[in-house]
Amino acid sequence: MYKNTAILTISSILFLSSCDKNNNDNTIINEFPTQTVVINNPIIDHLFTADPAGLVHNETVYIYTGHDEQVYGTNGFLMKDWHIFSSKNMVDWKDHGAAMSVSTFSWAKADAWAGQCVEKAGRFYWYVPMAHKTIGWFGIGVAVSDTPTGPFVDAKGAALITDKTPNSIELNIDPTVFVDDDGKAYLYWGGWGYCRMVKLKENMIELDGDVVDVPGLSGFTEAPWLHKKKGIYYLSYASGFPEKISYATSSSPLGPWTYKGVVNDLVKNSPTNHQSIIEFKNQAYFIYHNGGLYSGGEFRRSVCIDSLFYNLDGTIKQVKQTTKGVGKVL
C-alpha cells in the first residue's frame, strides 16, 4: 500500500509581554497546543499525474489518471500512458501502475490525454483520446476489461470518434461517459470551446444516433464531466483560460443545460483545471489536478482531492482547495 502522507507539526508557542502603566510585571501567556496535520494534497507524489477520473466500485475508489512525463523546464505535454490508483479510505492509495498506453490502440500514435472509465453490466469501459495516425488530429477510443484495474484491451479496433464522424471535427478530447439508472449511456467530449454529445448503444462501443452540439455552457473550454444526484444532472467543465471549473444543470442527460456558476477556482501553478466528481460513503468529493508538487507546473501536474458540498436547492458550493485534502487533524 502506497501512503502519501506529509506531517506538519505546529509546536506550542509562548508569547511573553510585561509591564503595565504601574511598572508591575504582568506576564501574558498565549499558548497554542501542539497540532499534527496530515497533508494529503497532492495525493500522489512519486510521479506526475493529471486529468483524474474517479470511479466507485465495491467500496473502493479508483482514480484513472494521465501521466505527465515532460522534463522540468521544457514546454509541451508529454503523455504516453495512463495509471490507476485505488483506495478504500481516500487517504492511502495503491498504485496499480501504467495500466494502458497509446500502444494499446493500433490506430493511435501519441498523446495519452484525459479519459474516463465506467462500469456497465460487470465490465469496465475506458474512453480515452489520442492523436490518430491517419484521420485528422485526435480520436476517441475505448478499451474494455473484466476488472477495474485491467488488463484493458482495445474494445473496437478503431476509434469511436474521429474527425470524420459527422459534426465532430475540431478537438476530440476529454470524453466523459455517464451510465444512467436505466442503463442508457451518454458520451460528452470537447475542446477549444466546442462541446458535443451522442448516445451510446448497449454494447458501449457504437454510437446510437447523431452527434449534437451542447449549448448553454457559458465559457466552455474543455473537460466535461457528467454526474447525477437526486434527479438533477450536473455537467461540469473547464471554462476560460487559465481555467476555472464551471457547471450547468438539467433534468435530463440530454439537456437543455442551465449555467449555475463556478465549482473550482484557478488552481496552483497550472493554467489547466480538470475534474471529476464522485460520492463515496455518503460524502461527495471533487478530484482535480494542480501543479503543486516540487518542480511541478503546467506540464507536470498532480492529482488532488477535496470535499464537495451541495446547497439545499441542489446547487454546488464552490470547492475550498486545501493541502490537507481529506486528511484529518490528529
Side-chain angles (χ1 to χ4, degrees):
M1 178 69 73
Y2 172 73
K3 293 187 177 180
N4 174 57
T5 305
I7 305 296
L8 173 65
T9 300
I10 305 171
S11 299
S12 298
I13 300 172
L14 298 180
F15 173 77
L16 305 179
S17 68
S18 63
C19 299
D20 65 6
K21 63 182 179 180
N22 297 318
N23 293 322
N24 294 323
D25 184 11
N26 295 330
T27 300
I28 302 171
I29 301 177
N30 291 334
E31 184 174 359
F32 299 88
T34 298
Q35 190 178 64
T36 302
V37 180
V38 178
I39 298 176
N40 289 300
N41 278 336
I43 65 167
I44 306 300
D45 61 9
H46 64 290
L47 76 166
F48 292 100
T49 53
D51 305 324
L55 170 69
V56 178
H57 179 71
N58 285 348
E59 299 297 313
T60 302
V61 175
Y62 297 89
I63 298 181
Y64 301 79
T65 78
H67 177 203
D68 282 340
E69 299 184 65
Q70 190 56 273
V71 175
Y72 178 74
T74 303
N75 291 332
F77 293 110
L78 180 60
M79 307 179 76
K80 303 175 184 178
D81 55 32
W82 296 269
H83 285 242
I84 304 174
F85 303 88
S86 67
S87 176
K88 293 184 180 297
N89 61 9
M90 301 292 287
V91 174
D92 303 309
W93 293 93
K94 181 177 181 180
D95 183 357
H96 297 274
M100 198 165 67
S101 69
V102 171
S103 63
T104 302
F105 303 86
S106 61
W107 54 268
K109 65 178 180 180
D111 301 325
W113 286 13
Q116 182 188 359
C117 184
V118 297
E119 186 270 338
K120 172 78 179 291
R123 305 198 82 192
F124 298 84
Y125 297 87
W126 197 348
Y127 298 81
V128 287
M130 291 157 289
H132 203 289
K133 286 181 178 178
T134 59
I135 304 174
W137 187 10
F138 268 83
I140 296 174
V142 54
V144 65
S145 173
D146 291 327
T147 75
T149 56
F152 283 89
V153 297
D154 188 349
K156 190 174 175 68
L160 178 64
I161 298 287
T162 71
D163 281 353
K164 288 187 177 181
T165 305
N167 198 38
S168 69
I169 190 168
E170 293 297 344
L171 190 54
N172 297 314
I173 62 170
D174 297 357
T176 180
V177 175
F178 174 75
V179 180
D180 211 345
D181 299 332
D182 59 6
K184 294 180 180 179
Y186 305 84
L187 170 66
Y188 280 75
W189 74 97
W192 284 353
Y194 295 88
C195 185
R196 293 185 168 91
M197 185 277 296
V198 69
K199 296 179 185 178
L200 295 177
K201 290 185 178 181
E202 183 71 20
N203 63 16
M204 300 292 284
I205 62 172
E206 294 181 275
L207 307 185
D208 187 12
D210 297 330
V211 172
V212 299
D213 295 325
V214 183
L217 306 182
S218 177
F220 178 87
T221 305
E222 58 182 351
W225 178 271
L226 182 58
H227 78 282
K228 179 183 180 182
K229 183 177 177 65
K230 294 183 177 179
I232 300 175
Y233 296 85
Y234 296 83
L235 185 56
S236 54
Y237 58 92
S239 60
F241 199 86
E243 296 171 344
K244 299 180 179 181
I245 298 298
S246 299
Y247 80 106
T249 62
S250 177
S251 59
S252 166
L254 299 173
W257 298 97
T258 301
Y259 176 76
K260 291 296 183 179
V262 172
V263 181
N264 194 36
D265 211 331
L266 303 179
V267 298
K268 179 180 180 180
N269 206 24
S270 171
T272 62
N273 200 341
H274 196 110
Q275 81 299 346
S276 60
I277 297 172
I278 64 169
E279 190 160 311
F280 181 61
K281 296 183 178 179
N282 299 315
Q283 172 61 53
Y285 294 97
F286 187 85
I287 312 173
Y288 61 105
H289 70 227
N290 65 19
L293 278 186
Y294 177 75
S295 82
E298 180 175 1
F299 308 112
R300 293 160 65 87
R301 299 159 294 178
S302 298
V303 172
C304 300
I305 303 176
D306 279 300
S307 297
L308 181 140
F309 300 96
Y310 296 84
N311 295 305
L312 292 177
D313 63 359
T315 56
I316 301 176
K317 295 182 179 181
Q318 187 167 317
V319 170
K320 181 179 179 181
Q321 298 176 29
T322 71
T323 55
K324 186 184 107 174
V326 295
K328 297 179 180 179
V329 175
L330 301 180

